[in-house]
Amino acid sequence: MASYLKDKRIELWRHCAGTTDEDGFPIDEDKKIASLWAYYRHASSEERYRAMMVQYKVDVIFIINYRCDINPKTDFIIFRGVRYEINGVDDYEGGKREIKISARYTE
């Protein structure tokens, strides 16, 4: 497996639904989980085509050091002020070294 230069700073956030305020009313909030170093690149044509086959949209790829707490359903990435929704997490055949995150740009 190739080693990637992780020279971009990204923020991992989690959408926390179901919390309540002091009066008991439900509120939705986003919490910053971590600030990480990552390798960043745009998705290749092949990666975009494969994502379309399973009805996903992939714009960018992030590669970070291994973490076991990433949930694509609730987590998202902020990079250079832009929010990216996580579509998929690939741990390279179960290895605990790096994680490849497929993400799409959201407005």
Side-chain angles (χ1 to χ4, degrees), residues 79-93:
F79 176 59
R80 293 183 180 158
V82 178
R83 179 177 170 147
Y84 294 91
E85 297 294 330
I86 298 174
N87 284 339
V89 178
D90 183 6
D91 63 354
Y92 293 114
E93 301 174 356

Side-chain angles (χ1 to χ4, degrees), residues 8 30 34 40 45 52-54 56 67-68 75 80 82 96-97 100 102-103:
K8 306 293 187 272
D30 297 331
Y40 163 83
S45 298
M52 286 189 322
M53 290 173 56
V54 292
Y56 278 113
R67 292 180 65 98
C68 62
D75 297 352
R80 293 183 180 158
V82 178
K96 293 186 176 182
R97 186 170 172 216
K100 177 181 173 183
S102 304

Side-chain angles (χ1 to χ4, degrees), residues 23-74:
D23 297 324
F25 293 104
I27 56 171
D28 292 340
E29 62 181 348
D30 297 331
K31 292 185 179 179
K32 184 176 173 181
I33 302 299
S35 184
L36 309 166
W37 289 105
Y39 171 76
Y40 163 83
R41 68 175 172 82
H42 290 280
S44 67
S45 298
E46 180 181 350
E47 288 166 329
R48 288 176 189 253
Y49 178 74
R50 286 183 183 177
M52 286 189 322
M53 290 173 56
V54 292
Q55 298 182 357
Y56 278 113
K57 183 180 176 190
V58 174
D59 293 323
V60 298
I61 303 295
F62 295 99
I63 297 178
I64 63 170
N65 289 335
Y66 181 80
R67 292 180 65 98
C68 62
D69 64 343
I70 296 177
N71 184 351
K73 294 181 180 180
T74 59

